[in-house]
Amino acid sequence: MDQSRAPVLEALTAYRRRGDLSFTPPGHKQGRGVDPRVLEVLGEDLFRDDVMILNGLDDRLQTKGVLEEAQQLMAEAVNAEQAFFSTCGSSLSIKSAMLSVAGPGEKLLVARNAHKSVISALILSGVEPVWVHGDWDGDLHMSYPPTPEAVEEAFKAAPDAKGVIVASPVDYGTCGDLEGINEVCRRYDRTFIVDEAWGAHLPFHEDLPTWGMDAGADLCVTSVHKMGNGLEQSSVFHLQGNRVDPAVLKAREDLLGTTSPSTLIYAALDGWRRQMAEHGKDLLDRTLELAESVRREIDKMHGLWVMSKENTRAFDTDPLKIVVDVSGLGVDGYHAADWVRERCHVNLSLSDHRRVSAEITVADSEETVGVLLDALRALSSARDLPPAATIDVPEPGELELDIAMLPRDAFFGRVEIVPTGQAVGRIVAEMVTPYPPGAPALCPGERITEPVLSYLTTGLEGGMNIPDVSDPSLKTLRVVAE
């Protein structure tokens, strides 16, 4: 296929040229009805290009195949057989993928450090999770993606599991041995799903970690808005092989997705694919050099060090994820990120009890990374940093909780609200998720333990963000009624 094509953008250009007048949604009619005060902030072009695909960029029956061709071009560009665009983020894509592999009452191996969207899919589907725990690093207090050996042990324990879902890269930039996990899945003839939300850029450069489709995975989910040039909510899920029926996958997506997708998101996805197919290697060459220069400079700063493949136990790492340990400054990551935002007007990405992170993408330049480095130098030499919060980080194994009932049954069943101090031993009925990275510390159906509760309560006091718990103060928890 001709990768210089961009069907959605071309159709949008043709729509403008024709001067069509639409009596369809969206009701703002290409911005004509929008409050001028809104246009002053958002701009007229945004509303002008907010056009439907159906009876807009394409005809009533979509015979021009605008979206279909754009998806085919994406699949070819990343070495997949099929690609599906999503305007509801990878949260929807993950749910669509999982619901295509396992159904109510069936088992699926799930990496326990999964994003909350994976747990949401378990709740919606009634699938029984078989947790696969990652390799816990007691020195750095973080978990790596599961190893092939851990996946094989889980299949031995649950031979009727339909497949496995693993996140790689995770929010910390660490990657699993996808080729090794795929070999295990092939031996057991099971489906391999990769949550590669942080890896949309991986197919476009050989010096980046292995892309899931190249590793042999059946389904991969990417968030183009994270490390690519897509708008927020832009996601693509990719398919190859015959273990997942594409008609089933599309039906699951139709079940969960919107019937009013954003052409703006489609257009940005289409344009990003063309850009990367044509220029991705050169753009990423420059970006990798920028990221390496950032790492070298941070290594010179007092109290800071950057995670890498060489100084962690990770199978691989994404060099464009700059994860900085700030514990040498005597501060926690939460307050370090707040300090940098307030004093330097620089927004960092992840923050936890000892780390902050920044992503370097093809959008960055010497100027932007210079601002980042100046902010980190200021942090390194600051005299007014608050002392690190005391957070009871669990020891190895203490985050591995027992599953007492299906997540769906716990979430939708009869519940009661109890004081958090009385919740130990009870079955949790809600997700409790430090965000970022967005991996729930408590999943519905798990039995609550004292170490995890202590981690969450001290973490909240220390600056942790837990956006999904029903009681933001964490003084109470929803548990299954006895």
Side-chain angles (χ1 to χ4, degrees):
M1 300 181 71
D2 183 359
Q3 288 291 333
S4 69
R5 295 283 315 282
V8 180
L9 289 165
E10 292 164 10
L12 190 55
T13 300
Y15 182 89
R16 291 180 187 172
R17 187 168 54 244
R18 291 195 308 268
D20 288 7
L21 187 63
S22 293
F23 292 87
T24 70
H28 59 70
K29 302 293 183 74
Q30 282 66 67
R32 294 189 297 276
V34 177
D35 187 326
R37 294 169 294 182
V38 176
L39 294 177
E40 185 178 357
V41 176
L42 297 182
E44 294 181 3
D45 286 348
L46 182 145
F47 290 96
R48 181 187 63 171
D49 294 335
D50 185 23
V51 180
M52 293 178 66
I53 291 277
L54 179 71
N55 272 335
L57 301 192
D58 209 332
D59 58 30
R60 180 176 60 83
L61 299 177
Q62 299 192 62
T63 60
K64 306 298 182 185
V66 173
L67 182 59
E68 181 181 358
E69 186 178 4
Q71 293 177 148
Q72 289 172 347
L73 283 160
M74 175 69 79
E76 183 182 85
V78 300
N79 195 32
E81 292 177 9
Q82 296 187 58
F84 303 84
F85 289 178
S86 167
T87 65
C88 299
S90 285
S91 293
L92 178 135
S93 301
I94 283 292
K95 296 180 182 75
S96 302
M98 291 173 63
L99 269 64
S100 301
V101 173
E106 295 179 327
K107 294 178 182 177
L108 186 69
L109 306 189
V110 179
R112 183 55 185 85
N113 64 344
H115 187 265
K116 63 177 295 182
S117 58
V118 172
I119 310 305
S120 297
L122 296 173
I123 293 170
L124 289 171
S125 65
V127 166
E128 179 182 347
V130 178
W131 296 140
V132 186
H133 294 283
D135 178 21
W136 179 260
D137 190 323
D139 295 326
L140 298 182
H141 295 132
M142 60 176 289
S143 179
Y144 304 112
T147 63
E149 292 76 17
V151 172
E152 180 144 30
E153 286 302 310
F155 272 128
K156 288 178 180 178
D160 53 342
K162 296 296 183 180
V164 60
I165 179 167
V166 170
S168 177
V170 299
D171 209 347
Y172 293 91
T174 59
C175 303
D177 179 0
L178 299 185
E179 291 177 324
I181 295 173
N182 182 64
E183 289 177 6
V184 173
C185 291
R186 299 294 80 87
R187 286 201 300 272
Y188 285 82
D189 193 22
R190 294 294 185 264
T191 303
F192 183 22
I193 307 171
V194 182
D195 175 0
E196 218 154 13
W198 284 102
H201 57 308
L202 299 185
F204 298 103
H205 203 284
E206 65 275 9
D207 292 338
L208 291 170
T210 301
W211 154 236
M213 290 279 98
D214 291 341
D218 300 288
L219 273 166
C220 283
V221 171
T222 61
S223 289
V224 177
H225 65 93
K226 282 186 166 68
M227 295 296 288
N229 292 333
L231 296 173
E232 280 292 298
Q233 296 181 216
S234 59
S235 173
V236 185
F237 46 106
H238 308 271
L239 176 66
Q240 66 181 357
N242 58 9
R243 285 186 173 80
V244 178
D245 185 340
V248 171
L249 181 59
K250 185 64 173 67
R252 301 301 186 266
E253 193 272 337
D254 285 344
L255 179 70
L256 299 169
T258 177
T259 57
S260 304
S262 169
T263 295
L264 295 169
I265 295 176
Y266 284 158
L269 278 170
D270 198 24
W272 173 78
R273 181 272 315 155
R274 178 176 63 180
Q275 179 188 28
M276 297 306 290
E278 292 183 331
H279 309 296
K281 172 67 165 56
D282 293 339
L283 289 169
L284 286 167
D285 276 341
R286 181 185 60 80
T287 307
L288 285 163
E289 290 174 5
L290 272 180
E292 181 57 31
S293 70
V294 169
R295 291 172 177 275
R296 287 196 301 267
E297 289 302 310
I298 295 174
D299 281 340
K300 300 174 185 177
M301 299 179 194
H302 163 71
L304 304 181
W305 67 275
V306 187
M307 283 176 47
S308 68
K309 183 178 179 180
E310 289 69 34
N311 61 24
T312 67
R313 300 209 307 267
F315 177 80
D316 203 353
T317 59
D318 181 357
L320 303 187
K321 281 281 240 177
I322 311 296
V323 182
V324 184
D325 193 304
V326 299
S327 59
L329 300 176
V331 67
D332 57 75
Y334 307 123
H335 291 97
D338 293 344
W339 191 96
V340 168
R341 174 183 167 89
E342 292 165 4
R343 303 300 180 87
C344 306
H345 306 292
V346 168
N347 295 313
L348 297 173
S349 185
L350 175 143
S351 58
D352 68 8
H353 63 286
R354 62 184 291 175
R355 287 167 285 259
V356 296
S357 76
E359 286 89 52
I360 308 300
T361 74
V362 299
D364 281 300
S365 63
E366 294 284 355
E367 180 181 1
T368 63
V369 300
V371 173
L372 171 65
L373 290 170
D374 286 345
L376 292 175
R377 289 189 190 101
L379 176 72
S380 173
S381 60
R383 303 288 185 180
D384 59 345
L385 295 175
T390 301
I391 299 173
D392 296 334
V393 180
E395 294 298 320
E398 290 185 332
L399 284 174
E400 300 179 10
L401 306 184
D402 293 333
I403 303 176
M405 60 192 304
L406 288 178
R408 181 177 66 178
D409 293 346
F411 187 86
F412 289 114
R414 290 180 58 247
V415 303
E416 57 186 359
I417 298 173
V418 301
T420 300
Q422 300 175 20
V424 173
R426 301 295 296 272
I427 301 170
V428 67
E430 61 181 328
M431 277 192 276
V432 186
T433 311
Y435 212 103
L442 285 172
C443 295
E446 290 185 326
R447 198 170 294 280
I448 301 168
T449 64
E450 176 60 37
V452 171
L453 274 190
S454 183
Y455 166 59
L456 290 167
T457 53
T458 58
L460 188 65
E461 292 171 0
M464 180 187 290
N465 180 33
I466 308 178
D468 55 0
V469 69
S470 58
D471 178 0
S473 71
L474 212 57
K475 293 179 180 177
T476 62
L477 279 171
R478 290 170 62 86
V479 299
V480 175
E482 292 183 340

